[in-house]
Amino acid sequence: MIKETIGMIFIYIGIGFDFFGVLGLVRLPDVYNRLQAATKCVTFGSAGIMFGVFILNGFNSFGFKALLGIAFIFLTSPVAAHVIARAAHRSGVPLAKQTVVDDYAKDNDLKDL
Amino acid sequence: MKIEMKSRIVVFVLAYLVWLALTHIGDIQEVIAGFIISIVVALIAGKFFITTKKQKGTVRRIIAAVIYIFKFLWEMIKANFHVAYIVIHPMLPIKPGIVKIRTRLSKDSAITILTNSITLTPGTLTVDLNPDKKEIYVHCIDVISADVEENTRNIGNRFESILTEVFE
Amino acid sequence: MKLLKWFLGFIFIAAFIYYNFFIYDGKLLFRLINISLFCSLFVLFRVIFGPTAADRIVAVDILGILIVGLLALLGLYYKQGFFMDVALIWALLSFVASLAFSKILEGRQLDD
């Protein structure tokens, strides 16, 4: 009974943060800000859902697959975000109007790929 | 040569354990298939797992790694509430920009974990790094200052000291 | 203008949540799955109307991670283990797809 309550709480938290991350994907002004909000919140949200599923199932094959999925998500999603941000900057996607500094464009010659 | 052999054996044991956990134990066919596939995986991709010699102070490093994991989870929860606050706010209080920070870490694996942690903590996202000069370019959602030293203190030092303890 | 847009969006989301929790009749897990599908709707908005190609790649990447969570919920609802197999493979494939897309966006070839 307690196990089910804790698992459902994790699933609620996960879905809430999924929703906030996707809202950030729609509202924020340029690619880099969208990437920040979406990567953080959606990674944490999906990991929360999977952890809830793991608690509800225990240590059988289903639960272990959920744990492995958490590990995959935590390892791959920051790397994907970093690669997309670098590719966007090198291919010349402009930053938002509110941007204050841009050291990366100052230091690197963007023609030189 | 010896390190390579050890690395292959560790990869074989890990792959076989993951295979056994993912299938139903009790079926002899799947156990044999997992054994063969683990050997193939260890032969093809086994030599990249361990590349350095054994270091001293294993217990101290494991304790530091556990502390690092809990600190990372706490920072990540803070990051999520930060993003949720920005997204709900009607006027979008952001001041983005790409700044530069320095790092003292030297190993590739340590730098990878540092950049992954920076991406998942409040208001920062790694864009690129140049390994020769040990500099990381970080996209901030709230730029505090354009100074390199101050940004290093604010962004990098949260994890750098404890990662130094884990890896070197 | 900004406040008006915020208010319209707030009404849209509030209407959905009211419908999902008070009018729609189904099991609790299926209501949660509905919220997850509603999130995918926002991501599809970014895929269709994204100003640049990078926006679309970000949206597809995020959609991959979102669907992993959705598949975990579906597996919980139907009590079937094989949904997690699909979720694991989906996570790995969407990661590789994001890497390939961003390499093409950067202007390099795949074997570089």
Side-chain angles (χ1 to χ4, degrees), chain C residues 40-109:
Chain C
S40 317
L41 202 66
F42 281 96
V43 180
L44 282 184
F45 169 82
R46 194 41 85 196
V47 170
I48 295 170
F49 294 106
T52 62
D55 286 301
R56 298 195 171 99
I57 295 175
V58 172
V60 169
D61 182 37
I62 295 306
L63 189 63
I65 307 175
L66 205 63
I67 280 178
V68 172
L70 177 63
L71 282 173
L73 279 182
L74 275 178
L76 197 61
Y77 182 74
Y78 289 110
K79 294 190 172 42
Q80 296 284 328
F82 66 84
F83 280 97
M84 278 321 286
D85 294 337
V86 182
L88 287 179
I89 301 300
W90 195 299
L92 287 179
L93 278 187
S94 96
F95 171 61
V96 174
S98 320
L99 290 192
F101 279 146
S102 47
K103 260 199 165 173
I104 290 174
L105 180 69
E106 205 173 329
R108 291 192 289 173
Q109 295 302 312

Side-chain angles (χ1 to χ4, degrees), chain A residues 8 11-12 15 18-19 22-23 25-28 30-31 34-35 38-39 42-43 46 49-50 52-53 56-57 61-62 65-70 72-73 75-77 79-81 83-84 86-88 90-91 93-94 98 113, chain C residues 2 6 13 17 28-29 32-33 35-36 38-40 42-43 45-46 51-52 54-55 57-59 61-62 65-66 68-70 72-73 75-76 79-82 84-85 87-88 91-92 95 98-99 102-103 105-108:
Chain A
M8 284 316 279
I11 289 178
Y12 278 127
I15 284 188
D18 262 1
F19 185 70
V22 171
L23 210 57
L25 188 69
V26 173
R27 284 199 73 203
L28 288 170
D30 71 339
V31 181
R34 281 171 197 152
L35 203 51
T39 303
V42 176
T43 305
S46 287
I49 292 175
M50 285 209 190
V53 170
L56 287 181
N57 275 288
S61 132
F62 196 163
K65 278 173 197 163
L67 270 191
L68 207 64
I70 293 177
F72 277 167
I73 286 178
L75 283 179
T76 58
S77 98
V79 178
V83 171
I84 292 173
R86 199 180 70 159
R90 288 201 178 176
S91 69
V93 175
Q98 296 99 322
L113 288 178
Chain C
K2 226 170 177 178
W6 184 85
I13 293 168
I17 289 177
L28 178 63
L29 268 174
L32 298 181
I33 289 172
I35 298 179
S36 203
F38 187 64
C39 294
S40 317
F42 281 96
V43 180
F45 169 82
R46 194 41 85 196
T52 62
D55 286 301
I57 295 175
V58 172
D61 182 37
I62 295 306
I65 307 175
L66 205 63
V68 172
L70 177 63
L73 279 182
L76 197 61
K79 294 190 172 42
Q80 296 284 328
F82 66 84
M84 278 321 286
D85 294 337
L88 287 179
L92 287 179
F95 171 61
S98 320
L99 290 192
S102 47
K103 260 199 165 173
L105 180 69
E106 205 173 329
R108 291 192 289 173

Side-chain angles (χ1 to χ4, degrees), chain B residues 4-164:
Chain B
E4 199 180 313
M5 200 60 215
K6 203 171 92 179
S7 169
R8 284 187 205 280
I9 290 173
V10 170
V11 166
F12 168 74
V13 171
L14 278 180
Y16 198 40
L17 280 181
V18 170
W19 177 282
L20 286 185
L22 286 183
T23 53
H24 297 103
I25 302 178
D27 197 353
I28 189 71
Q29 207 172 346
E30 292 192 340
V31 173
I32 295 173
F35 191 77
I36 295 170
I37 289 174
S38 304
I39 287 180
V40 172
V41 166
L43 282 182
I44 292 175
K47 64 182 174 183
F48 304 114
F49 194 63
I50 300 174
T51 51
T52 53
K53 285 187 178 167
K54 195 181 176 187
Q55 291 173 338
K56 284 181 211 161
T58 312
V59 177
R60 191 172 51 82
R61 287 171 61 208
I62 286 176
I63 290 174
V66 171
I67 293 174
Y68 164 75
I69 288 174
F70 279 104
K71 193 173 177 184
F72 169 71
L73 282 179
W74 170 241
E75 290 283 337
M76 194 167 172
I77 292 170
K78 263 196 336 198
N80 280 284
F81 279 105
H82 182 227
V83 171
Y85 167 71
I86 286 178
V87 166
I88 293 177
H89 200 286
M91 302 312 286
L92 283 181
I94 59 172
K95 202 172 80 173
I98 297 181
V99 299
K100 196 164 65 172
I101 69 171
R102 287 208 183 88
T103 173
R104 296 190 307 272
L105 300 171
S106 56
K107 280 186 193 165
D108 284 350
S109 51
I111 291 181
T112 308
I113 291 183
L114 178 67
T115 49
N116 275 7
S117 316
I118 285 177
T119 297
L120 290 175
T121 48
T124 49
L125 168 81
T126 315
V127 177
D128 203 352
L129 83 161
N130 41 1
D132 331 321
K133 297 182 200 166
K134 310 290 179 203
E135 282 164 345
I136 305 178
Y137 296 95
V138 174
H139 180 274
C140 289
I141 212 166
D142 262 320
V143 174
I144 299 169
S145 76
D147 184 31
V148 177
E149 297 302 324
E150 193 173 341
N151 282 319
T152 305
R153 229 179 302 130
N154 283 334
I155 298 168
N157 277 8
R158 272 189 299 215
F159 291 113
E160 219 177 67
S161 51
I162 195 161
L163 279 180
T164 315

